[in-house]
Amino acid sequence: AQSVAQPEDQVNVAEGNPLTVKCTYSVSGNPYLFWYVQYPNRGLQFLLKYITGDNLVKGSYGFEAEFNKSQTSFHLKKPSALVSDSALYFCAVRDRNTGFQKLVFGTGTRLLVSP
Amino acid sequence: EPEVTQTPSHQVTQMGQEVILRCVPISNHLYFYWYRQILGQKVEFLVSFYNNEISEKSEIFDDQFSVERPDGSNFTLKIRSTKLEDSAMYFCASSEGGLGANQPQHFGDGTRLSIL
């Protein structure tokens, strides 16, 4: 069975500082990995994905994520945080070997960027 | 940029009543999904739909739930006899591609369902 862990309920960072939101996953086969962001009263907005190839993937709004197969992690990063990055961030995984399309989400991490 | 649209944004229904949640997926997408998010909890998969049939469903998606694509644009989720525990935010999503594709799912803004 697939699962995702986001160990931090909340991450606090000052504007201009780098940020990291952690994610680890578990799948029986090889993963497709995704990050989504949710702003208040909105749906989940796709940020980036890892499919194959380069372990560092770049996405929207300056975010990037690093896939680490040995640590089964896919941490979200940004070199310089903005106050407008404050939102709820979800990591999700899909097992590419099963052929099923469902995404399994983590519990979410609230990012709070202070001015 | 094309969007997934959901109506209504908020639905209030008496327990035991039927409710239909509506979604218009992105027009060239082939896969459609429903997820739900109970307040303060994680987003949970309900069902995926491809080629006019259910391709996968979760344990949550029991006989009280059904999905339909009544025409070329709408995708609906019906809950036949609502329970208090059905209160949640329901998200529709769609994606390109066939089975095993790596395309991201694009989500609507959700319908908040409140069961009284």
Side-chain angles (χ1 to χ4, degrees), chain B residues 14 29-30 38 51 56 59 61-62 69 72 114-116:
Chain B
Q14 292 288 332
H29 285 186
L30 300 178
I38 294 173
N51 200 25
E56 189 183 5
E59 293 173 353
F61 195 87
D62 61 21
R69 189 156 161 80
S114 300
I115 307 300
L116 304 180

Side-chain angles (χ1 to χ4, degrees), chain A residues 58-111:
Chain A
K58 294 187 184 298
S60 307
Y61 313 119
F63 283 94
E64 56 191 30
E66 186 165 13
F67 171 66
N68 187 317
K69 187 172 183 178
S70 63
Q71 297 185 4
T72 62
S73 67
F74 188 56
H75 300 331
L76 181 70
K77 301 183 180 188
K78 188 173 182 181
S80 178
L82 299 172
V83 172
S84 57
D85 293 329
S86 299
L88 191 55
Y89 290 80
F90 289 95
C91 181
V93 68
R94 192 163 82 220
D95 187 339
R96 71 168 79 184
N97 290 359
T98 65
F100 292 127
Q101 293 280 326
K102 76 172 183 183
L103 288 174
V104 173
F105 286 89
T107 50
T109 298
R110 187 165 303 282
L111 174 66

Side-chain angles (χ1 to χ4, degrees), chain B residues 96-110:
Chain B
E96 300 177 52
L99 205 61
N102 56 30
Q103 300 303 317
Q105 295 173 21
H106 295 269
F107 286 75
D109 284 344

Side-chain angles (χ1 to χ4, degrees), chain A residues 5-8 11 20-24 35 74-76 91 109:
Chain A
Q6 292 182 244
E8 303 151 317
V11 169
T20 299
V21 182
K22 295 180 180 176
C23 170
T24 57
W35 275 101
F74 188 56
H75 300 331
L76 181 70
C91 181
T109 298

